[in-house]
Amino acid sequence: MSSIPPELEFADDDGDNRLERRNRRIRVVAWVVVVSLIIAGGGSTVLLTLFG
């Protein structure tokens, strides 16, 4: 009988899943930053045009 607890028996499989979740989170954060920079840039352009 193995002395490894059941919750740690397949701990190696979790590494890929964790890496995939990390990559997905990085992609989401990057897209949010890109969209917010576009919105902020567009907003400042509109304000500059209005108050020139």
Side-chain angles (χ1 to χ4, degrees), residues 4 6-7 17-18 25 36-37 45:
I4 300 173
E7 61 270 9
N17 192 16
R18 199 173 348 148
R25 190 179 318 123
S36 64
L37 285 173
T45 304

Side-chain angles (χ1 to χ4, degrees), residues 11-27:
D12 293 338
D13 296 340
D14 190 39
D16 295 335
N17 192 16
R18 199 173 348 148
L19 187 61
E20 182 180 329
R21 283 184 297 176
R22 180 177 178 266
N23 286 340
R24 187 180 312 131
R25 190 179 318 123
I26 289 173
R27 266 188 255 123

